[in-house]
Amino acid sequence: MLDVGSNTVHLLVVEAHRGGHPTPQHDDRWLLRLAEHVGDDDVLSKDGEKALLRAVRKACEQAEKQGCDEVLALVTSAIREARNGMEVLDRVREKTGVELQVTSGEEEARLTFLAVRRWFGWSAGRLLVLDIGGGSLELASGLDEDPDAALSLPLGAGRMTRRFLPEARTGGRPDLRALAELDEHAADLLKPAAKKLLAGGPPDLVAATSKTFRTLARLTGAAPYSAGLRAPRQLTLDGLGQLLGFVARIESSALAELQGVSPDRAHQIPGGAVVARAAMRALDVPSVRICPWALREGVILRRLDSLEDER
């Protein structure tokens, strides 16, 4: 599974079969920050395209080395929103043979919901899922494997950092007034979204996934990655509020030194925390359970389902 996101290109190699648990065998990541290569004219730069091409080639080499039978490849918001995105993907296909599928924000939400549903099972009841990416925030809710409502909002941690907190990108301290403006902006977008997501009734279980939510949970006391995928983890609204009070007053360069924080994403923590808190407030959610499965696993599960249907 090759996932081209706003921040990284991620290759996840799994052993998978219908009805089985997709078991990770190998993973590689290449930090590209493609979203930062998209200018004010919404065009992906030549440097960005070259970096993407190099990463796809490296991923192909690694997939071949791992003996992969099939490579599923998709791109999310950074390429999806670039005016020349499709042209770039055509050139990548011509030079590598890899056809990167463009996934809509709503489809991302649906695939992530499928993965979270399979992880927690039917006993979870009505499920509400939140996923903060680099470029967008995906939300979905429902009783089945296909959600009743699936939405994508332009509230990604990277996007909001670039727009509201540029000083954090250079290692500085976030501006308190800008954090308040971001909170208001997120609340305005989330208010109508919350009505759609809660139209079917209150959720029995609220889950959150993505690197941003996992990092926020870790910083508020959740079990580290070394505890294993099945260690219970949660993020509370109260804990998030306390964390925001802390990260709003220190430099992002200092955040990068904390355990559980990826140095390349430390500058996005304040923006991601504001969006997470705004989402939980809008949805009246006091806490979320952290799910280790997300979009990539959803794509794999959907593919396995389609293979079963073809028999």
Side-chain angles (χ1 to χ4, degrees), residues 242-299:
Q242 292 174 11
L243 176 64
L244 254 174
F246 169 68
V247 301
R249 287 171 172 79
I250 68 172
E251 290 76 13
S252 59
S253 57
L255 280 175
E257 299 176 6
L258 299 179
Q259 284 190 338
V261 176
S262 298
D264 55 282
R265 296 198 187 204
H267 64 291
Q268 296 183 10
I269 289 175
V274 171
V275 171
R277 185 180 64 174
M280 292 174 70
R281 282 176 171 173
L283 294 162
D284 194 22
V285 172
S287 66
V288 296
R289 290 180 63 181
I290 304 300
C291 178
W293 279 8
L295 175 61
R296 286 180 287 274
E297 287 78 12
V299 172

Side-chain angles (χ1 to χ4, degrees), residues 17-292:
H17 60 275
R18 172 64 174 159
H21 186 288
T23 305
Q25 302 293 316
H26 178 86
D27 72 71
D28 268 312
R29 301 168 193 262
W30 296 271
L31 177 65
L32 299 189
R33 291 182 180 161
L34 280 181
E36 296 186 10
H37 287 282
V38 179
D40 294 336
D41 57 358
D42 293 328
V43 172
L44 180 69
S45 69
K46 286 295 183 182
D47 286 342
E49 180 176 342
K50 290 177 182 177
L52 173 60
L53 182 59
R54 285 195 299 270
V56 172
R57 282 175 170 160
K58 289 179 182 178
C60 289
E61 292 171 3
Q62 191 56 244
E64 183 176 357
K65 186 182 297 185
Q66 295 294 322
C68 295
D69 295 324
E70 182 179 5
V71 176
L72 304 174
L74 79 157
V75 297
T76 52
S77 63
I79 297 291
R80 184 172 66 223
E81 295 172 7
R83 287 198 294 115
N84 61 336
M86 297 309 297
E87 299 169 17
V88 169
L89 296 185
D90 286 342
R91 288 192 287 270
V92 170
R93 185 184 67 250
E94 291 171 1
K95 294 176 181 178
T96 67
V98 176
E99 185 163 358
L100 291 159
Q101 301 293 324
V102 179
T103 307
S104 70
E106 179 180 322
E107 184 62 10
E108 280 188 51
R110 291 185 178 280
L111 289 165
T112 301
F113 185 90
L114 170 64
V116 177
R117 169 60 76 192
R118 294 276 178 95
W119 180 267
F120 286 112
W122 296 111
S123 62
R126 178 169 288 280
L127 183 63
L128 174 61
V129 176
L130 297 78
D131 179 357
I132 299 176
S136 56
L137 163 67
E138 272 68 55
L139 309 110
S141 64
L143 277 168
D144 300 319
E145 290 196 335
D146 190 38
D148 301 327
L151 305 171
S152 180
L153 302 177
L155 289 172
R159 183 195 296 265
M160 295 299 94
T161 300
R162 290 190 301 275
R163 177 173 173 180
F164 290 94
L165 308 169
E167 63 284 340
R169 296 170 61 190
T170 56
R173 184 182 304 177
D175 180 83
L176 294 180
R177 182 177 298 178
L179 285 172
E181 291 174 355
L182 168 54
D183 185 54
E184 184 177 354
H185 172 72
D188 288 343
L189 291 183
L190 281 158
K191 186 175 181 179
K195 291 182 179 179
K196 294 178 181 178
L197 292 162
L198 300 176
D204 298 302
L205 186 149
V206 184
T209 186
S210 76
K211 181 70 172 177
T212 295
F213 270 113
R214 290 196 300 272
T215 300
L216 294 174
R218 179 73 185 94
L219 289 174
T220 57
Y225 179 79
S226 59
L229 292 181
R230 295 195 173 276
R233 297 174 175 89
Q234 72 169 357
L235 173 66
T236 67
L237 189 58
D238 287 343
L240 187 54
Q242 292 174 11
L243 176 64
L244 254 174
F246 169 68
V247 301
R249 287 171 172 79
I250 68 172
E251 290 76 13
S252 59
S253 57
L255 280 175
E257 299 176 6
L258 299 179
Q259 284 190 338
V261 176
S262 298
D264 55 282
R265 296 198 187 204
H267 64 291
Q268 296 183 10
I269 289 175
V274 171
V275 171
R277 185 180 64 174
M280 292 174 70
R281 282 176 171 173
L283 294 162
D284 194 22
V285 172
S287 66
V288 296
R289 290 180 63 181
I290 304 300
C291 178

